[in-house]
Amino acid sequence: MVDDGRDRVAATQDAVAVVTAWLAQRQGDDLYHQQVDQVIEEHGELGTLRLATGLTNLCGFLVYRLARLQGQDPEEVLRDVARRIASA
């Protein structure tokens, strides 16, 4: 389990690597899936939890940053995202 500050930072760094691979992938490229698999395999049965924790931390950081840039509360940003997803 990810339970201390260093683990949370490391999990978030893994999440950044996964999202970076997702952004960089091209059609037919498997970089994103390879990065996900690597994180999960490196950390055994806790790999999925580590990745979920890191992605949650990263999303939270990005929501707070976007909220600050837009002059909104983080909750407003999330409601807007939820509305956009629901109407898609």
Side-chain angles (χ1 to χ4, degrees), residues 42-80:
E42 281 181 10
H43 301 284
E45 62 186 48
L46 295 178
T48 302
L49 177 60
R50 179 186 177 98
L51 190 53
T53 299
L55 289 168
T56 300
N57 292 340
L58 178 58
C59 287
F61 172 82
L62 294 172
V63 165
Y64 273 97
R65 185 158 186 181
L66 182 59
R68 187 175 51 223
L69 289 171
Q70 293 182 340
Q72 296 178 309
D73 291 328
E75 293 81 8
E76 289 178 83
V77 171
L78 284 177
R79 281 191 300 271
D80 183 50

Side-chain angles (χ1 to χ4, degrees), residues 19-32:
V19 174
T20 300
W22 179 76
L23 290 170
Q25 80 179 3
R26 304 287 181 248
Q27 187 171 358
D29 187 351
D30 204 26
L31 182 62
Y32 162 71

